Amino acid sequence: MIESIATYCPSLRVFIIRYFALGAVTAIIFSPFISTLVELTLSGAVLAALAIFLVTPLIWGFLFDDHQKWLRHRRERWVLFPDRLRLHGSDGEVVDIALSEITHVSLWLWYSVEIRLRSGTKFRALYIPHASEMKRRINAQIAAQKGEAPHE
């Protein structure tokens, strides 16, 4: 039996940080527009800004179905072996990806890893803690399989 090198699973903590970070960025972008609509005192402006920062992530999440995406991916498990990457999907399906078929591994924002295959198929490992480590390990294993030095 071949032992795995590493296992990666989605993290609720990463999902929540992403959720509120995207909401905060949206709030920062739109708060000047909202503050120009209503004339507020300084304390009113601070309370309005606080409300915007708390409400915007919720609106963002439901508008773009982020909570549904989390529910779809939360049980996924990515296992790196010396010769393949195995995805245990949330639906119980198991997909083996030969490392020789992987053409590119990259970070997508800070919380996910995108894996591209020769066939044009793309996989995305979402909400992964230390996603850069996952990328580095996959690339190192591909390089080792080819007998090359790892590249970043």
Side-chain angles (χ1 to χ4, degrees), residues 1-2 4 6-8 76-81 83-89 93-99 102 115 123 134 138:
M1 182 173 180
I2 299 173
S4 65
T7 301
Y8 302 94
E76 286 181 352
R77 194 175 76 224
W78 295 84
V79 184
L80 179 61
F81 290 95
D83 62 340
R84 68 188 177 280
L85 183 63
R86 177 175 286 166
L87 165 62
H88 295 268
E93 183 180 0
V94 176
V95 178
D96 275 331
I97 304 165
L99 294 181
I102 296 174
I115 300 145
F123 290 92
M134 180 180 180
I138 293 170

Side-chain angles (χ1 to χ4, degrees), residues 49-113:
L50 184 60
I52 289 168
F53 277 99
L54 293 176
V55 171
T56 304
L58 300 176
I59 293 170
W60 172 275
F62 283 98
L63 193 63
F64 294 105
D65 275 340
D66 272 4
H67 60 291
Q68 292 296 327
K69 191 184 290 186
W70 164 252
L71 292 174
R72 279 193 310 272
H73 294 280
R74 68 182 174 174
R75 289 192 176 98
E76 286 181 352
R77 194 175 76 224
W78 295 84
V79 184
L80 179 61
F81 290 95
D83 62 340
R84 68 188 177 280
L85 183 63
R86 177 175 286 166
L87 165 62
H88 295 268
S90 292
D91 57 0
E93 183 180 0
V94 176
V95 178
D96 275 331
I97 304 165
L99 294 181
S100 60
E101 289 300 310
I102 296 174
T103 58
H104 189 72
V105 180
S106 60
L107 285 179
W108 193 71
L109 297 177
W110 72 91
Y111 61 88
S112 67
V113 176

